[in-house]
Amino acid sequence: MTLDTLPALALFAFVSSGTPGPNNLMLMASGANYGFRRTLPHMLGISVGFGVMIVLTGLGLAQVFDRFPHSYTLLKIASVAYMLYLAWKIANAAPIKERDADSRPMTFLQAAAFQWVNPKAWAMALTAITVYIADSGVWMLLIGALCFVTVNLPSVCIWTVMGQQMARILTNPVRLRLFNWTMAALLLGSLYPLLQMG
């Protein structure tokens, strides 16, 4: 990657970060259920965690899949299992008034760690590395990761605000339950591309 290709990477980061996927669907659900302020660590965890993922993938982690093809299968199984768990949690989130004290949105570290089992994050990271950043050196890799973090932050904010705004019409427990089940179904639907890959 050169500085000339940075705008193309930024455009890729913008489009891929803004489109629906596991992160954005979970942020929308969290915004609706917990509000913007309480979802802030989740948002920052996604952006920073994905930036770290880009750097580590660019430093050679992607070669693990080439050398050990079974590691991709293990990642796929872990991704599906964790996404099923998250979908169940979202679908069964209780209305705010009925929640116990332990109910809370995803933390910074949980959101950062989630990137490693997020199929869309892997697709984005591998595409960014192979198409835009490959063999560009560490500094360009860091600039590429910073580009993703910078572009991603407004995107995660928008999805959270959309969820927060929806909370106004989700005051009825039946509507909130329907919303949560819809978000859970969409989250499961986001697994479809992963399950189609060999």
Side-chain angles (χ1 to χ4, degrees), residues 2-53:
T2 64
L3 290 177
D4 293 339
T5 59
L6 192 57
L9 176 64
L11 181 60
F12 171 72
F14 174 74
V15 172
S16 57
S17 296
T19 53
N23 282 325
N24 292 336
L25 294 172
M26 288 191 309
L27 286 172
M28 192 172 186
S30 185
N33 285 284
Y34 299 104
F36 187 88
R37 188 181 62 78
R38 292 189 66 199
T39 305
L40 198 54
H42 185 170
M43 293 186 283
L44 293 173
I46 288 171
S47 295
V48 174
F50 186 71
V52 170
M53 184 181 197

Side-chain angles (χ1 to χ4, degrees), residues 86-107:
L86 288 174
W88 180 83
K89 280 192 73 168
I90 289 171
N92 293 290
I96 293 170
K97 293 176 183 174
E98 298 175 15
R99 288 191 190 134
D100 56 33
D102 292 335
S103 180
R104 60 182 51 96
M106 197 175 268
T107 67

Side-chain angles (χ1 to χ4, degrees), residues 36-169:
F36 187 88
R37 188 181 62 78
R38 292 189 66 199
T39 305
L40 198 54
H42 185 170
M43 293 186 283
L44 293 173
I46 288 171
S47 295
V48 174
F50 186 71
V52 170
M53 184 181 197
I54 287 278
V55 171
L56 294 179
T57 303
L59 290 175
L61 190 61
Q63 294 174 358
V64 170
F65 295 120
D66 293 334
R67 287 188 164 193
F68 306 102
H70 293 299
S71 63
Y72 180 71
T73 303
L74 292 175
L75 175 67
K76 209 167 155 180
I77 291 168
S79 297
V80 169
Y82 193 64
M83 297 277 268
L84 288 170
Y85 166 74
L86 288 174
W88 180 83
K89 280 192 73 168
I90 289 171
N92 293 290
I96 293 170
K97 293 176 183 174
E98 298 175 15
R99 288 191 190 134
D100 56 33
D102 292 335
S103 180
R104 60 182 51 96
M106 197 175 268
T107 67
F108 176 89
L109 290 177
Q110 288 171 331
F114 174 69
Q115 302 320 297
W116 297 95
V117 293
N118 179 350
K120 183 182 175 188
W122 273 107
M124 289 167 58
L126 293 172
T127 301
I129 295 302
T130 56
V131 175
Y132 298 99
I133 306 175
D135 302 322
S136 298
V138 174
W139 285 111
M140 281 298 156
L141 176 62
L142 293 174
I143 289 171
L146 183 61
C147 174
F148 259 98
V149 171
T150 304
V151 170
N152 184 262
L153 277 171
S155 172
V156 296
C157 288
I158 289 168
W159 280 90
T160 305
V161 167
M162 285 193 304
Q164 182 184 29
Q165 294 306 309
M166 288 199 69
R168 294 179 181 181
I169 60 170

